[in-house]
Amino acid sequence: MPHFILDCSENILKLQEPRKVLEAVFETAFSTGLFDRDDIKVRLNPFKHSLVQSAEADFIHVFGNIMEGRTEEQKSDLSYAIVATLTTLFPKVPIISMNIRNFEQATYCNKSMI
């Protein structure tokens, strides 16, 4: 925890190396001080087909899934930092966005808890 899942147009993979994008999001998330390095997970899902701005425009959307307990300001700062990082990597991509969802402590389970 946390999980950062990037949905993007397939063309994004031609604009930057996927590993560079994953590492940029990872390092940005770590730099906020909200998460331990070993807890951060980042994945990228390229889409061959999409409809963005009534066309096949490039896009990146990050779904941030984090454990509840962070303030609205912390979550806002996290979103801003990751979108700013991606905007630097992809200045010509018209849509770069992010949202954050909370995991509930009461219903969360992982392998180490079994």
Side-chain angles (χ1 to χ4, degrees):
M1 179 96 47
H3 298 265
F4 296 99
I5 302 150
L6 288 75
D7 284 357
C8 65
S9 52
E10 193 172 55
N11 191 55
I12 293 298
L13 304 179
K14 296 175 187 170
L15 300 175
Q16 292 284 348
E17 289 292 321
R19 180 71 183 204
K20 182 176 181 177
V21 178
L22 295 170
E23 288 175 352
V25 171
F26 182 97
E27 292 299 333
T28 301
F30 179 68
S31 75
T32 66
L34 296 174
F35 315 108
D36 291 334
R37 181 174 287 280
D38 290 342
D39 292 338
I40 300 169
K41 294 129 187 116
V42 184
R43 300 184 292 281
L44 188 132
N45 295 313
F47 288 86
K48 186 171 187 163
H49 305 285
S50 61
L51 187 60
V52 177
Q53 296 183 332
S54 302
E56 289 189 25
D58 287 328
F59 74 95
I60 302 170
H61 183 82
V62 182
F63 295 92
N65 299 290
I66 67 174
M67 187 57 71
E68 65 185 344
R70 303 322 193 292
T71 68
E72 293 299 313
E73 182 179 16
Q74 288 171 319
K75 292 186 282 187
S76 176
D77 291 348
L78 173 62
S79 289
Y80 184 90
I82 290 175
V83 170
T85 293
L86 291 171
T87 298
T88 299
L89 284 175
F90 300 99
K92 294 185 180 181
V93 172
I95 303 293
I96 300 175
S97 56
M98 179 172 177
N99 71 293
I100 296 178
R101 299 180 282 204
N102 287 328
F103 282 111
E104 295 177 4
Q105 183 83 34
T107 60
Y108 179 77
C109 184
N110 68 29
K111 183 179 178 180
S112 70
M113 299 165 75
I114 305 275

